[in-house]
mmCIF file of all heavy atoms in Angstrom:
data_model
loop_
_atom_site.group_PDB
_atom_site.id
_atom_site.type_symbol
_atom_site.label_atom_id
_atom_site.label_comp_id
_atom_site.label_asym_id
_atom_site.label_seq_id
_atom_site.Cartn_x
_atom_site.Cartn_y
_atom_site.Cartn_z
ATOM 1 N N ALA A 82 -14.565 28.199 0.659
ATOM 2 C CA ALA A 82 -15.782 27.741 1.338
ATOM 3 C C ALA A 82 -16.970 27.548 0.393
ATOM 4 O O ALA A 82 -17.911 26.842 0.730
ATOM 5 C CB ALA A 82 -16.151 28.725 2.445
ATOM 6 N N ASP A 83 -16.937 28.170 -0.786
ATOM 7 C CA ASP A 83 -18.063 28.051 -1.715
ATOM 8 C C ASP A 83 -17.985 26.776 -2.570
ATOM 9 O O ASP A 83 -18.862 26.529 -3.390
ATOM 10 C CB ASP A 83 -18.176 29.292 -2.602
ATOM 11 C CG ASP A 83 -16.904 29.635 -3.349
ATOM 12 O OD1 ASP A 83 -15.805 29.235 -2.900
ATOM 13 O OD2 ASP A 83 -17.009 30.322 -4.387
ATOM 14 N N TYR A 84 -16.977 25.966 -2.355
ATOM 15 C CA TYR A 84 -16.835 24.702 -3.094
ATOM 16 C C TYR A 84 -17.254 23.545 -2.188
ATOM 17 O O TYR A 84 -16.829 23.463 -1.035
ATOM 18 C CB TYR A 84 -15.394 24.501 -3.575
ATOM 19 C CG TYR A 84 -15.104 25.288 -4.831
ATOM 20 C CD1 TYR A 84 -14.888 26.653 -4.779
ATOM 21 C CD2 TYR A 84 -15.076 24.659 -6.068
ATOM 22 C CE1 TYR A 84 -14.644 27.386 -5.930
ATOM 23 C CE2 TYR A 84 -14.835 25.373 -7.232
ATOM 24 C CZ TYR A 84 -14.623 26.739 -7.153
ATOM 25 O OH TYR A 84 -14.387 27.464 -8.296
ATOM 26 N N ALA A 85 -18.066 22.655 -2.725
ATOM 27 C CA ALA A 85 -18.531 21.481 -1.987
ATOM 28 C C ALA A 85 -17.574 20.315 -2.158
ATOM 29 O O ALA A 85 -17.525 19.423 -1.311
ATOM 30 C CB ALA A 85 -19.926 21.078 -2.455
ATOM 31 N N SER A 86 -16.830 20.306 -3.269
ATOM 32 C CA SER A 86 -15.934 19.183 -3.513
ATOM 33 C C SER A 86 -14.758 19.606 -4.379
ATOM 34 O O SER A 86 -14.787 20.652 -5.021
ATOM 35 C CB SER A 86 -16.687 18.020 -4.191
ATOM 36 O OG SER A 86 -17.067 18.358 -5.503
ATOM 37 N N SER A 87 -13.752 18.749 -4.370
ATOM 38 C CA SER A 87 -12.572 18.981 -5.184
ATOM 39 C C SER A 87 -11.992 17.628 -5.575
ATOM 40 O O SER A 87 -11.899 16.726 -4.751
ATOM 41 C CB SER A 87 -11.537 19.792 -4.405
ATOM 42 O OG SER A 87 -10.392 20.047 -5.196
ATOM 43 N N GLY A 88 -11.631 17.506 -6.826
ATOM 44 C CA GLY A 88 -11.076 16.249 -7.310
ATOM 45 C C GLY A 88 -10.177 16.501 -8.503
ATOM 46 O O GLY A 88 -9.758 17.624 -8.754
ATOM 47 N N GLY A 89 -9.912 15.467 -9.231
ATOM 48 C CA GLY A 89 -9.031 15.598 -10.383
ATOM 49 C C GLY A 89 -9.185 14.435 -11.329
ATOM 50 O O GLY A 89 -10.230 13.794 -11.386
ATOM 51 N N GLN A 90 -8.118 14.154 -12.023
ATOM 52 C CA GLN A 90 -8.111 13.101 -13.021
ATOM 53 C C GLN A 90 -8.322 11.725 -12.391
ATOM 54 O O GLN A 90 -7.745 11.412 -11.362
ATOM 55 C CB GLN A 90 -6.773 13.079 -13.755
ATOM 56 C CG GLN A 90 -6.549 14.239 -14.675
ATOM 57 C CD GLN A 90 -7.293 14.070 -15.988
ATOM 58 O OE1 GLN A 90 -7.640 12.969 -16.396
ATOM 59 N NE2 GLN A 90 -7.529 15.171 -16.650
ATOM 60 N N SER A 91 -9.126 10.927 -13.049
ATOM 61 C CA SER A 91 -9.274 9.518 -12.699
ATOM 62 C C SER A 91 -8.510 8.706 -13.732
ATOM 63 O O SER A 91 -8.532 9.036 -14.911
ATOM 64 C CB SER A 91 -10.742 9.094 -12.733
ATOM 65 O OG SER A 91 -11.480 9.803 -11.779
ATOM 66 N N ALA A 92 -7.855 7.686 -13.285
ATOM 67 C CA ALA A 92 -7.142 6.812 -14.214
ATOM 68 C C ALA A 92 -7.540 5.369 -13.916
ATOM 69 O O ALA A 92 -7.871 5.028 -12.784
ATOM 70 C CB ALA A 92 -5.632 6.980 -14.063
ATOM 71 N N MET A 93 -7.542 4.574 -14.947
ATOM 72 C CA MET A 93 -7.809 3.140 -14.795
ATOM 73 C C MET A 93 -6.650 2.383 -15.406
ATOM 74 O O MET A 93 -6.051 2.845 -16.369
ATOM 75 C CB MET A 93 -9.081 2.754 -15.531
ATOM 76 C CG MET A 93 -10.334 3.294 -14.905
ATOM 77 S SD MET A 93 -11.759 2.700 -15.793
ATOM 78 C CE MET A 93 -12.173 4.176 -16.705
ATOM 79 N N PHE A 94 -6.342 1.259 -14.824
ATOM 80 C CA PHE A 94 -5.313 0.415 -15.425
ATOM 81 C C PHE A 94 -5.756 -1.039 -15.345
ATOM 82 O O PHE A 94 -6.589 -1.417 -14.526
ATOM 83 C CB PHE A 94 -3.951 0.617 -14.762
ATOM 84 C CG PHE A 94 -3.842 0.079 -13.368
ATOM 85 C CD1 PHE A 94 -3.385 -1.213 -13.146
ATOM 86 C CD2 PHE A 94 -4.196 0.862 -12.286
ATOM 87 C CE1 PHE A 94 -3.287 -1.715 -11.863
ATOM 88 C CE2 PHE A 94 -4.098 0.371 -10.991
ATOM 89 C CZ PHE A 94 -3.634 -0.926 -10.788
ATOM 90 N N TRP A 95 -5.209 -1.819 -16.214
ATOM 91 C CA TRP A 95 -5.487 -3.250 -16.210
ATOM 92 C C TRP A 95 -4.243 -3.989 -16.654
ATOM 93 O O TRP A 95 -3.428 -3.476 -17.382
ATOM 94 C CB TRP A 95 -6.692 -3.615 -17.083
ATOM 95 C CG TRP A 95 -6.641 -3.094 -18.473
ATOM 96 C CD1 TRP A 95 -6.246 -3.777 -19.580
ATOM 97 C CD2 TRP A 95 -6.987 -1.790 -18.923
ATOM 98 N NE1 TRP A 95 -6.321 -2.978 -20.683
ATOM 99 C CE2 TRP A 95 -6.775 -1.742 -20.309
ATOM 100 C CE3 TRP A 95 -7.453 -0.626 -18.286
ATOM 101 C CZ2 TRP A 95 -7.011 -0.612 -21.068
ATOM 102 C CZ3 TRP A 95 -7.684 0.492 -19.052
ATOM 103 C CH2 TRP A 95 -7.470 0.486 -20.423
ATOM 104 N N VAL A 96 -4.108 -5.185 -16.138
ATOM 105 C CA VAL A 96 -2.951 -6.025 -16.417
ATOM 106 C C VAL A 96 -3.375 -7.087 -17.420
ATOM 107 O O VAL A 96 -4.402 -7.734 -17.255
ATOM 108 C CB VAL A 96 -2.437 -6.701 -15.120
ATOM 109 C CG1 VAL A 96 -1.276 -7.630 -15.415
ATOM 110 C CG2 VAL A 96 -2.059 -5.642 -14.099
ATOM 111 N N MET A 97 -2.563 -7.253 -18.448
ATOM 112 C CA MET A 97 -2.838 -8.269 -19.454
ATOM 113 C C MET A 97 -2.044 -9.518 -19.084
ATOM 114 O O MET A 97 -0.809 -9.495 -19.103
ATOM 115 C CB MET A 97 -2.438 -7.780 -20.840
ATOM 116 C CG MET A 97 -3.069 -6.447 -21.195
ATOM 117 S SD MET A 97 -4.841 -6.500 -21.044
ATOM 118 C CE MET A 97 -5.280 -6.198 -22.719
ATOM 119 N N PRO A 98 -2.733 -10.599 -18.689
ATOM 120 C CA PRO A 98 -2.020 -11.809 -18.286
ATOM 121 C C PRO A 98 -1.277 -12.456 -19.454
ATOM 122 O O PRO A 98 -1.671 -12.311 -20.604
ATOM 123 C CB PRO A 98 -3.127 -12.727 -17.772
ATOM 124 C CG PRO A 98 -4.383 -12.198 -18.342
ATOM 125 C CD PRO A 98 -4.171 -10.739 -18.641
ATOM 126 N N THR A 99 -0.206 -13.120 -19.115
ATOM 127 C CA THR A 99 0.559 -13.844 -20.128
ATOM 128 C C THR A 99 0.485 -15.330 -19.806
ATOM 129 O O THR A 99 0.097 -15.724 -18.704
ATOM 130 C CB THR A 99 2.034 -13.392 -20.123
ATOM 131 O OG1 THR A 99 2.554 -13.587 -18.811
ATOM 132 C CG2 THR A 99 2.160 -11.934 -20.518
ATOM 133 N N ALA A 100 0.856 -16.144 -20.767
ATOM 134 C CA ALA A 100 0.779 -17.600 -20.609
ATOM 135 C C ALA A 100 1.575 -18.070 -19.399
ATOM 136 O O ALA A 100 1.149 -18.973 -18.674
ATOM 137 C CB ALA A 100 1.273 -18.287 -21.876
ATOM 138 N N GLU A 101 2.720 -17.450 -19.139
ATOM 139 C CA GLU A 101 3.549 -17.892 -18.020
ATOM 140 C C GLU A 101 2.887 -17.645 -16.665
ATOM 141 O O GLU A 101 3.269 -18.220 -15.662
ATOM 142 C CB GLU A 101 4.923 -17.248 -18.067
ATOM 143 C CG GLU A 101 4.886 -15.745 -17.787
ATOM 144 C CD GLU A 101 6.232 -15.096 -18.008
ATOM 145 O OE1 GLU A 101 6.704 -15.103 -19.157
ATOM 146 O OE2 GLU A 101 6.805 -14.601 -17.025
ATOM 147 N N HIS A 102 1.895 -16.774 -16.641
ATOM 148 C CA HIS A 102 1.183 -16.500 -15.387
ATOM 149 C C HIS A 102 -0.143 -17.245 -15.343
ATOM 150 O O HIS A 102 -1.008 -16.929 -14.526
ATOM 151 C CB HIS A 102 0.970 -14.997 -15.208
ATOM 152 C CG HIS A 102 2.243 -14.231 -15.112
ATOM 153 N ND1 HIS A 102 3.145 -14.417 -14.088
ATOM 154 C CD2 HIS A 102 2.791 -13.306 -15.917
ATOM 155 C CE1 HIS A 102 4.184 -13.612 -14.275
ATOM 156 N NE2 HIS A 102 3.994 -12.939 -15.373
ATOM 157 N N ASP A 103 -0.317 -18.179 -16.229
ATOM 158 C CA ASP A 103 -1.478 -19.070 -16.231
ATOM 159 C C ASP A 103 -2.809 -18.332 -16.319
ATOM 160 O O ASP A 103 -3.795 -18.757 -15.739
ATOM 161 C CB ASP A 103 -1.441 -19.935 -14.976
ATOM 162 C CG ASP A 103 -1.699 -21.387 -15.289
ATOM 163 O OD1 ASP A 103 -1.789 -21.731 -16.477
ATOM 164 O OD2 ASP A 103 -1.812 -22.160 -14.332
ATOM 165 N N GLY A 104 -2.827 -17.203 -16.992
ATOM 166 C CA GLY A 104 -4.070 -16.462 -17.158
ATOM 167 C C GLY A 104 -4.535 -15.721 -15.921
ATOM 168 O O GLY A 104 -5.644 -15.213 -15.867
ATOM 169 N N ASN A 105 -3.708 -15.650 -14.883
ATOM 170 C CA ASN A 105 -4.070 -14.930 -13.667
ATOM 171 C C ASN A 105 -4.146 -13.443 -13.988
ATOM 172 O O ASN A 105 -3.157 -12.846 -14.416
ATOM 173 C CB ASN A 105 -3.024 -15.195 -12.577
ATOM 174 C CG ASN A 105 -3.416 -14.583 -11.252
ATOM 175 O OD1 ASN A 105 -4.067 -13.550 -11.190
ATOM 176 N ND2 ASN A 105 -3.022 -15.241 -10.172
ATOM 177 N N PRO A 106 -5.321 -12.800 -13.775
ATOM 178 C CA PRO A 106 -5.490 -11.390 -14.162
ATOM 179 C C PRO A 106 -4.736 -10.393 -13.295
ATOM 180 O O PRO A 106 -4.753 -9.211 -13.563
ATOM 181 C CB PRO A 106 -6.998 -11.174 -14.055
ATOM 182 C CG PRO A 106 -7.442 -12.180 -13.051
ATOM 183 C CD PRO A 106 -6.535 -13.371 -13.219
ATOM 184 N N VAL A 107 -4.054 -10.852 -12.257
ATOM 185 C CA VAL A 107 -3.304 -9.953 -11.391
ATOM 186 C C VAL A 107 -1.857 -9.811 -11.857
ATOM 187 O O VAL A 107 -1.208 -8.816 -11.583
ATOM 188 C CB VAL A 107 -3.354 -10.453 -9.934
ATOM 189 C CG1 VAL A 107 -2.524 -9.575 -9.017
ATOM 190 C CG2 VAL A 107 -4.794 -10.512 -9.449
ATOM 191 N N TYR A 108 -1.351 -10.796 -12.589
ATOM 192 C CA TYR A 108 0.039 -10.792 -13.006
ATOM 193 C C TYR A 108 0.123 -10.778 -14.522
ATOM 194 O O TYR A 108 -0.649 -11.428 -15.207
ATOM 195 C CB TYR A 108 0.770 -12.036 -12.479
ATOM 196 C CG TYR A 108 0.779 -12.103 -10.980
ATOM 197 C CD1 TYR A 108 -0.132 -12.900 -10.303
ATOM 198 C CD2 TYR A 108 1.685 -11.350 -10.237
ATOM 199 C CE1 TYR A 108 -0.135 -12.952 -8.920
ATOM 200 C CE2 TYR A 108 1.685 -11.400 -8.863
ATOM 201 C CZ TYR A 108 0.773 -12.203 -8.207
ATOM 202 O OH TYR A 108 0.770 -12.248 -6.842
ATOM 203 N N GLY A 109 1.068 -10.034 -15.029
ATOM 204 C CA GLY A 109 1.278 -10.002 -16.465
ATOM 205 C C GLY A 109 2.402 -9.060 -16.807
ATOM 206 O O GLY A 109 2.871 -8.282 -15.967
#
Side-chain angles (χ1 to χ4, degrees):
D83 54 336
Y84 280 77
S86 68
S87 181
Q90 289 281 338
S91 297
M93 290 183 256
F94 70 92
W95 52 98
V96 177
M97 306 305 243
T99 57
E101 69 187 64
H102 298 297
D103 227 6
N105 186 328
V107 177
Y108 299 99

